Amino acid sequence: MIPFTPNDAKALARALRSGLEPHVTLSHGQALDVLSRTAGLTDWNALAAMYRAPGFGAPMPILRVQDAALARQFYVDWLGFSIDFEHQFEPELPLFIRVSRDETALGLSEHYGDGTPGSVVWIPTRALASYRGGLMKNPIGSQRPGIDPDAPGGPTMTIIDPFGNELRFCEPTD
């Protein structure tokens, strides 16, 4: 996976150059090559070619929610996700929120045609017991999730959001 977009790389190259001591000179192209090497590639041309190569990115499940404020409280305040962006065509129209935590991104949509209440999302999780412990310090509603140590794929904690969507946080055993 490429750690940054071409625009991110260019911005990082500019930041690198601006942070150098005045007596150190580095061209923009050289700075891009340095960033490419940190990603394990030979140079900027190799990195730029990867952006044009066919392939897939990480999927983003879209979950149907009926109340954006309640979704924020649940996903951001309790589960610890961050809001990446919100989109609303006009005031009073349904809201779409993208939330993420580490490598997991979810779309939360009030739009009628997006997602189906009762969907299931499997989320690979590191240090599951520690994550559960943090949630239990400030439980929300009647949520008191346990961990099933014998679940397929590894120990799994299942949480149902206020809209009936099931989140399965699993610590893979391999």
Side-chain angles (χ1 to χ4, degrees):
M1 181 169 147
I2 302 171
F4 35 73
T5 68
N7 286 338
D8 292 339
K10 291 174 184 177
L12 289 168
R14 284 190 294 276
L16 173 64
R17 291 178 66 215
S18 70
L20 294 174
E21 296 292 327
H23 66 278
V24 177
T25 59
L26 187 66
S27 72
H28 187 67
Q30 289 170 322
L32 287 169
D33 284 343
V34 168
L35 290 170
S36 299
R37 284 194 293 278
T38 63
L41 300 165
T42 56
D43 58 21
W44 170 247
N45 291 331
L47 180 61
M50 290 185 71
Y51 289 108
R52 292 187 293 275
F56 295 96
M60 180 183 64
I62 298 175
L63 301 175
R64 177 80 157 91
V65 300
Q66 289 81 23
D67 180 334
L70 183 58
R72 278 189 208 97
Q73 179 187 16
F74 184 82
Y75 283 91
V76 176
D77 298 341
W78 190 51
L79 294 180
F81 282 74
S82 297
I83 295 175
D84 296 332
F85 67 84
E86 296 182 355
H87 179 266
Q88 193 170 29
F89 287 104
E90 292 179 22
E92 306 304 319
L93 288 180
L95 183 65
F96 180 91
I97 306 170
R98 177 186 152 134
V99 296
S100 65
R101 182 171 176 149
D102 300 321
E103 299 165 34
T104 298
L106 301 171
L108 307 175
S109 180
E110 291 181 316
H111 292 267
Y112 175 77
D114 287 352
T116 302
S119 294
V120 176
V121 179
W122 188 84
I123 303 170
T125 308
R126 294 178 298 278
L128 180 61
S130 175
Y131 180 58
R132 180 191 178 275
L135 295 176
M136 295 309 294
K137 287 179 183 175
N138 188 23
I140 190 170
S142 62
Q143 296 275 357
R144 304 292 185 279
I147 296 176
D148 178 354
D150 300 317
T156 300
M157 174 177 67
T158 299
I159 297 177
I160 299 175
D161 78 4
F163 316 101
N165 299 301
E166 188 172 307
L167 307 170
R168 293 181 188 164
F169 295 90
C170 179
E171 187 165 14
T173 54
D174 41 77

